[in-house]
Amino acid sequence: MFCLLRRRLSSVIDPSQIQFLRPISTTPPPPQNPSDQSSTFTVSYLVNSCGLSPESALSASKKVVFKSPSKPDLVLLFLRNHGFSNTQIANLATKRPSLLLAKPELTLLPKLKFLEEVGFSDGEIADFLSKDPTFLCRSLERKIKPSYDYLKSLLGTNGKVAAAIKSSRSSWILHFDLERIIGYKVEILRNHGVPEDNIVKLVTAKTRSLGNNNDRFEELVRNVRKIGIDPSSTQFVKAIYIFSGMNKKTMDSKLRIFRSYGWSEDEIVSAIRNQPLCIDVSEEKLEKGLDFFMNKLKWEPFELAKYSNLLGLSLRKRIIPRWMVIQCLLSKCLIKDAISISRVLKLTEAMFLQKFLVKYKSKAPEILKLYQGKL
């Protein structure tokens, strides 16, 4: 009977589809590869102990493998004891998972102490290292301290060194031979008559502008001088910072916007010379600013070039609300037509409120709502 049943089944079902009729093997599966077990444990640890997503943990497990939780547990305990939040630990583990195998007292602690001595607070240290954990992988004696020594000799105080490191938005400034990388650029600035105070300001607040190669930086300095900005002014180093972070395509696009509103080359140069920040705004903001001042207020290019700093102000939050208040007061003859809108826009918030809103709120009560954008 059983044979007959099998013959009938085989006539309608392919033999490969009747595996279930075969006896189930009782042989145990082969043992899992130890490396696979370690990888699985690593992923699990990164997810459960470090707060990584499964995808990030899987990616990180290709760079580091834990055979037991003992070493990473010590690192996590060390980081938490030094003010690292769960999010900061997750960021650090994502970017540099190998640090979870570091020796806390030998590798990590000296660098935290170094940052503390430079002037970083505990909170700043945790934030800085979670964003750029590469710093913890650098040699303190061969990389970090020599760069620090050069910065200290140039800037003078730990506070300014700390400001320079923070302004670079990463620890790259302490990764390389700084005297070789920015020393030549500092000499270029000195040779062009830039005062030492302004050089210190550039290095302290705009360190990334010195990351260009030497030839490009020298060309940049020459171009800023061609515009006519005085090397002894703070505008000179401000222009260097702005131009160093702008590629040719972006610059050309912004110049085309000026030209589309009828500006001559001399008027554009005049605007940049008066306030380099006018070319640093987004293309959208630049176009809206030009449209408002030239089409709404009917200013000529040469007039706006004198006050090009106004192009950096917010239309929605500052320019239009103040302009509307002034228009309302003019319509009620509470102020004179000769009032300078450029001076009004330059006033601090407190001064504007006192000079126009507080002073005239009884005679024109609607100006407060007008200023707040409710009318």
Side-chain angles (χ1 to χ4, degrees), residues 323-335:
W323 176 77
M324 292 178 72
V325 167
I326 296 303
Q327 294 306 302
C328 178
L329 295 177
L330 284 170
S331 69
K332 293 178 177 293
C333 299
L334 295 174
I335 57 176

Side-chain angles (χ1 to χ4, degrees), residues 6-65:
R6 289 201 59 168
R7 281 199 300 272
R8 288 178 179 175
L9 281 171
S10 62
S11 66
V12 293
I13 301 178
D14 184 78
S16 65
Q17 296 177 316
I18 58 175
Q19 299 295 325
F20 64 91
L21 290 175
R22 296 174 183 171
I24 298 174
S25 173
T26 58
T27 306
Q32 191 176 14
N33 190 317
S35 63
D36 292 338
Q37 291 178 335
S38 296
S39 178
T40 302
F41 171 75
T42 301
V43 172
S44 176
Y45 185 91
L46 289 169
V47 172
N48 297 322
S49 298
C50 302
L52 274 67
S53 67
E55 295 77 13
S56 297
L58 185 61
S59 176
S61 69
K62 297 175 183 177
K63 302 173 185 176
V64 66
V65 174

Side-chain angles (χ1 to χ4, degrees), residues 90-294:
N91 287 339
L92 186 146
T94 300
K95 295 174 182 177
R96 286 284 173 174
S98 60
L99 286 170
L100 294 172
L101 293 177
K103 296 179 180 179
E105 301 299 321
L106 185 64
T107 304
L108 307 182
L109 184 59
K111 289 158 191 173
L112 268 65
K113 284 185 175 179
F114 169 81
L115 290 174
E116 185 179 359
E117 290 169 2
V118 170
F120 281 68
S121 67
D122 289 345
E124 289 173 331
I125 290 173
D127 184 60
F128 177 72
L129 294 178
S130 69
K131 292 177 180 177
D132 184 27
T134 303
F135 178 84
L136 293 169
C137 302
R138 296 290 175 180
S139 168
L140 189 61
E141 299 300 326
R142 291 185 289 106
K143 296 288 184 181
I144 297 172
K145 284 187 175 179
S147 294
Y148 160 78
D149 289 340
Y150 174 74
L151 277 178
K152 182 74 179 291
S153 69
L154 182 65
L155 304 180
T157 67
N158 273 346
K160 290 180 179 178
V161 173
I165 297 170
K166 293 171 189 176
S167 78
S168 68
R169 297 195 297 276
S170 76
S171 62
W172 74 267
I173 195 172
L174 298 176
H175 290 182
F176 308 103
D177 182 352
L178 272 195
E179 189 167 5
R180 179 180 61 83
I181 292 176
I182 72 172
Y184 180 76
K185 300 180 180 72
V186 168
E187 288 305 313
I188 290 174
L189 294 172
R190 286 170 177 160
N191 292 339
H192 280 274
V194 179
E196 207 67 22
D197 284 352
N198 288 348
I199 293 175
V200 169
K201 288 176 183 176
L202 182 65
V203 176
T204 304
K206 310 296 183 185
T207 316
R208 293 182 73 87
S209 63
L210 300 170
N212 295 301
N213 66 58
N214 291 337
D215 291 340
R216 185 174 185 276
F217 186 82
E218 195 161 12
E219 180 184 7
L220 189 65
V221 173
R222 287 198 299 268
N223 288 338
V224 173
R225 289 208 67 171
K226 286 178 183 177
I227 292 173
I229 301 177
D230 183 358
S232 65
S233 70
T234 56
Q235 298 287 56
F236 192 83
V237 291
K238 190 183 295 184
I240 288 173
Y241 167 67
I242 291 169
F243 295 152
S244 68
M246 191 179 303
N247 59 45
K248 186 177 184 301
K249 181 180 178 181
T250 302
M251 174 64 81
D252 289 344
S253 180
K254 291 179 180 180
L255 294 178
R256 279 196 298 272
I257 293 173
F258 275 107
R259 295 184 190 114
S260 70
Y261 281 84
W263 287 57
S264 68
E265 300 303 309
D266 286 344
E267 287 165 338
I268 296 172
V269 168
S270 176
I272 297 173
R273 181 169 58 243
N274 289 331
Q275 181 49 268
L277 284 173
C278 73
I279 201 72
D280 197 36
V281 301
S282 69
E283 294 176 34
E284 180 184 13
K285 183 173 183 177
L286 176 62
E287 187 149 18
K288 286 183 177 180
L290 290 171
D291 178 65
F292 179 81
F293 285 106
M294 299 185 67

Side-chain angles (χ1 to χ4, degrees), residues 81-93:
N81 286 342
H82 284 83
F84 283 71
S85 66
N86 291 336
T87 300
Q88 290 169 335
I89 288 174
N91 287 339
L92 186 146

